Amino acid sequence: MPILHTQLRAQAKTPQGQVVEVPPAVVLQRQGPCVQVSIGLAQSIANQLLQQGKTLPKPVSGVALIDTGATSTCIDDAAAKELQLPVVNVVNVASASHASTPQNVYPIQVEVVGLPISIEAPNAIGAALAPQGLLALIGRDVLQHCTLFYNGITGEITLSI
Amino acid sequence: MLDKERKYFEAHRAEWLKTHPSKFVLVKDEELIGVFETQQEALVEGARRFGTDSFLVRQVEESEQIVYIPALTLGILRADSAHPA
């Protein structure tokens, strides 16, 4: 079973300007469980387009936050455009303050860097994630294929597929 | 996005609930292209016909699915405690 085990690391500057290591537990608490991912068009669709002789955009790499609260995986809208992903549905995303909002749905393939397996997420929702420094949120549609250990004490996460 | 397709789906939802319950329909503009057992089959056929143009693939169900993404909808993405660590 492929396993990704990582301890989050970061540096910070003291008021005196000295660079210090931030404890992994603090990094994990502040950033959340983040992993490097590479995202492209869903493989089943990509295969079909390749058979037609079409050229596919290269996958986009970035940081994804593992979000156990999210029903579905989300992809940054700008990245979805860059990847020329077709919109294949529109879903209503529940909102706390007003009526649910319609959001585009894209068929994507997520590869977690460090794991030799890609997972297809045919219902990835477009959202403005780039301003948060994120390419994607990994939701429960992908996590249903995974085992996730969150060790808040040591600042480590373990993800296996 | 997909305004025409979504309107067409809504106009035919009741009819398709009788004829194609729980199946996946592929709709482009105001035309039902096909009915499929799985979402993947519908997506592949959509890509075969329309390439990277947008098309609608939706399961025929009584009500529309609502997705919950609290980090986005509550505006708490990358929120941090007000208390110092």
Side-chain angles (χ1 to χ4, degrees), chain A residues 30 44-45 48-49 52 67 69-71 74 86-90 92-94 96 104 120 122-123 125 127 132 134, chain B residues 1-2 39-40 44 47-48 51-58 64 66-74 77-78 80:
Chain A
R30 291 196 172 174
S44 51
I45 294 181
Q48 187 58 240
L49 296 177
Q52 296 172 14
D67 185 356
T71 316
C74 298
V87 178
V88 296
N89 199 355
V90 175
N92 290 313
V93 177
N104 290 340
E120 204 157 298
N123 299 303
I125 292 161
Q132 310 290 331
L134 295 172
Chain B
M1 187 60 89
L2 296 174
Q39 183 185 33
Q40 191 177 40
V44 169
R48 190 183 72 79
T52 53
D53 282 355
S54 293
F55 51 85
L56 180 73
V57 170
R58 191 174 275 186
E64 207 162 313
I66 293 183
V67 174
Y68 294 88
I69 305 167
L72 286 181
T73 54
L74 298 176
L77 195 59
R78 286 293 170 94
D80 200 358

Side-chain angles (χ1 to χ4, degrees), chain A residues 90-125:
Chain A
V90 175
V91 294
N92 290 313
V93 177
S95 167
S97 57
H98 47 80
S100 56
T101 55
Q103 302 283 136
N104 290 340
V105 172
Y106 305 97
I108 65 168
Q109 186 94 7
V110 181
E111 182 185 341
V112 179
V113 176
L115 289 174
I117 293 176
S118 295
I119 300 176
E120 204 157 298
N123 299 303
I125 292 161

Side-chain angles (χ1 to χ4, degrees), chain A residues 15-148:
Chain A
Q16 293 76 31
Q18 185 187 359
V19 177
V20 293
E21 290 289 326
V22 180
V26 175
V27 180
L28 181 56
Q29 186 266 324
R30 291 196 172 174
Q31 294 186 357
C34 291
V35 289
Q36 282 287 331
V37 294
S38 174
I39 293 181
L41 181 61
Q43 195 62 48
S44 51
I45 294 181
N47 289 343
Q48 187 58 240
L49 296 177
L50 288 171
Q51 281 175 24
Q52 296 172 14
K54 293 187 175 152
T55 308
L56 301 176
K58 285 185 179 171
V60 174
S61 297
V63 176
L65 174 68
I66 298 172
D67 185 356
T68 59
T71 316
S72 293
T73 291
C74 298
I75 179 174
D76 178 58
D77 263 326
K81 285 190 179 70
E82 185 182 333
L83 286 165
Q84 299 169 35
L85 299 174
V87 178
V88 296
N89 199 355
V90 175
V91 294
N92 290 313
V93 177
S95 167
S97 57
H98 47 80
S100 56
T101 55
Q103 302 283 136
N104 290 340
V105 172
Y106 305 97
I108 65 168
Q109 186 94 7
V110 181
E111 182 185 341
V112 179
V113 176
L115 289 174
I117 293 176
S118 295
I119 300 176
E120 204 157 298
N123 299 303
I125 292 161
L129 298 175
Q132 310 290 331
L134 295 172
L135 173 61
L137 294 179
I138 297 180
R140 297 195 301 266
D141 56 336
V142 167
L143 292 174
Q144 68 179 338
H145 304 291
C146 305
T147 303
L148 172 68

